[in-house]
Amino acid sequence: MGSLQKTAVCLLFLSVFFSASNSTFATFNCNAVKIEYKKTAVISCIGNMKITNMVVKRCERCNKQNSCLETIINTWRGNYSSEKGRIRLVLQHNVSEVHIQEVKATDQGGYKWHLYSDNGERDGCTNLEITDPEIEPSLIWNGRKLACLSPIGHRQRQVHWFDGHGNNLTGNASLVSEEAEGGLTSLTSTLHEKPYLTASEYCCTVLYDVHTKRNKTKCLSAHKAVADYLHFTSTSDQEIPKTMKEHIPIILVLLVLVLCCFAAVLYYRHRQRATAKGNFADLLRTLLPLLRQNEKAKENAPNQEV
């Protein structure tokens, strides 16, 4: 009976010993963060021991192997910040915080951490999710095409078209994506309706999240759009600036007029010169007989004196 008690005490001691040795970071945890675009994200990690050093790498995703390549924090090398201080580490005893200011779309993904203390070390990964800037789309109609502009957002968002009866018209639209600030994109979806709007209403829906169905919708009444367009195009006292192509005929006419004036001046000067030459020739023809008569008179004068 005594040996059984000793064995039980030994087992209890070993259990307490191993649980104590394995509880160095038993309460350790790093939180996943979901933050709005351009806000400040804080990834905090808490342990039950003082954290002495920390290494943080940015990954494409936590569950994707070999995607953690960029090291943003490494206290072993004295690197407590990156990107000119936009990302910085705040380390206080058993709490570490990675502050990311004005988060961008490219900040989204996994952050692999490796924490060190005097009693051991541990690593893991946590995710940072950036929510879309949900800006209401705008609709523009030029009489033939209806365009929906979503100026800024993640690449994953979608643009859908519906008429007033709920029919999906997205198949009749073309989409153009352009790079915007912070790794986001600008989307322009054009719905082709010829020669005029045929439905009573058109709605453009920007879908930000396929799973939660978060979206913003902007609708336009076809009758109001046509009336506004006709009112705009029939306004007589509103001067619409001309393009360079519209100025070309006027420039050509002015050029022809200048060339004609130049040619007329040259012709007038030529006629003046020709007239002057003709008058001089007539004068010579008149003077020559007189000169000849004068010479003959001089020749006959000596003969008469003899």
Side-chain angles (χ1 to χ4, degrees), residues 54-106:
M54 186 174 184
V55 177
V56 181
K57 293 184 177 181
R58 182 153 46 195
C59 315
E60 185 177 341
R61 291 191 303 271
C62 279
N63 57 358
K64 186 175 181 180
Q65 295 182 352
N66 302 322
S67 67
C68 303
L69 301 176
E70 182 185 4
T71 301
I72 58 175
I73 299 294
N74 189 344
T75 59
W76 291 104
R77 298 182 178 180
N79 181 10
Y80 285 79
S81 65
S82 60
E83 294 189 19
K84 297 181 180 181
R86 190 179 73 89
I87 302 175
R88 60 187 180 88
L89 172 67
V90 178
L91 188 59
Q92 295 180 346
H93 194 67
N94 65 325
V95 179
S96 67
E97 293 180 345
V98 177
H99 293 244
I100 306 176
Q101 298 177 350
E102 295 189 355
V103 293
K104 304 178 293 186
T106 51

Side-chain angles (χ1 to χ4, degrees), residues 49-242:
M49 293 289 180
K50 180 181 179 180
I51 300 172
T52 56
N53 284 288
M54 186 174 184
V55 177
V56 181
K57 293 184 177 181
R58 182 153 46 195
C59 315
E60 185 177 341
R61 291 191 303 271
C62 279
N63 57 358
K64 186 175 181 180
Q65 295 182 352
N66 302 322
S67 67
C68 303
L69 301 176
E70 182 185 4
T71 301
I72 58 175
I73 299 294
N74 189 344
T75 59
W76 291 104
R77 298 182 178 180
N79 181 10
Y80 285 79
S81 65
S82 60
E83 294 189 19
K84 297 181 180 181
R86 190 179 73 89
I87 302 175
R88 60 187 180 88
L89 172 67
V90 178
L91 188 59
Q92 295 180 346
H93 194 67
N94 65 325
V95 179
S96 67
E97 293 180 345
V98 177
H99 293 244
I100 306 176
Q101 298 177 350
E102 295 189 355
V103 293
K104 304 178 293 186
T106 51
D107 293 326
Q108 180 167 283
Y111 288 80
K112 186 175 182 180
W113 39 262
H114 202 108
L115 291 167
Y116 300 85
S117 73
D118 294 336
N119 295 326
E121 61 186 61
R122 190 172 177 181
D123 58 8
C125 188
T126 188
N127 285 302
L128 173 63
E129 180 182 353
I130 312 297
T131 59
D132 293 351
E134 299 181 2
I135 302 175
E136 186 178 84
S138 58
L139 292 176
I140 303 172
W141 189 62
N142 65 358
R144 294 180 64 87
K145 296 178 182 178
L146 183 63
C148 176
L149 174 63
S150 177
I152 192 169
H154 286 307
R155 294 179 174 85
Q156 293 83 1
R157 73 191 190 283
Q158 301 174 2
V159 179
H160 298 274
W161 287 95
F162 301 93
D163 62 12
H165 302 288
N167 299 317
N168 195 328
L169 306 176
T170 310
N172 298 329
S174 59
L175 183 66
V176 176
S177 176
E178 297 180 354
E179 291 295 326
E181 62 178 10
L184 302 178
T185 59
S186 172
L187 298 181
T188 301
S189 179
T190 303
L191 181 65
H192 303 277
E193 286 286 320
K194 298 180 180 180
Y196 48 81
L197 298 178
T198 56
S200 60
E201 188 179 49
Y202 289 87
C203 294
C204 167
T205 298
V206 179
L207 184 63
Y208 296 99
D209 193 320
V210 177
H211 304 289
T212 62
K213 305 299 181 181
R214 289 187 298 108
N215 68 82
K216 282 190 177 294
T217 300
K218 187 69 173 291
C219 296
L220 178 68
S221 171
H223 301 299
K224 183 178 184 302
V226 172
D228 289 346
Y229 180 75
L230 293 176
H231 174 72
F232 172 76
T233 55
S234 62
T235 302
S236 59
D237 56 351
Q238 182 176 3
E239 183 178 355
I240 301 175
K242 295 183 178 181

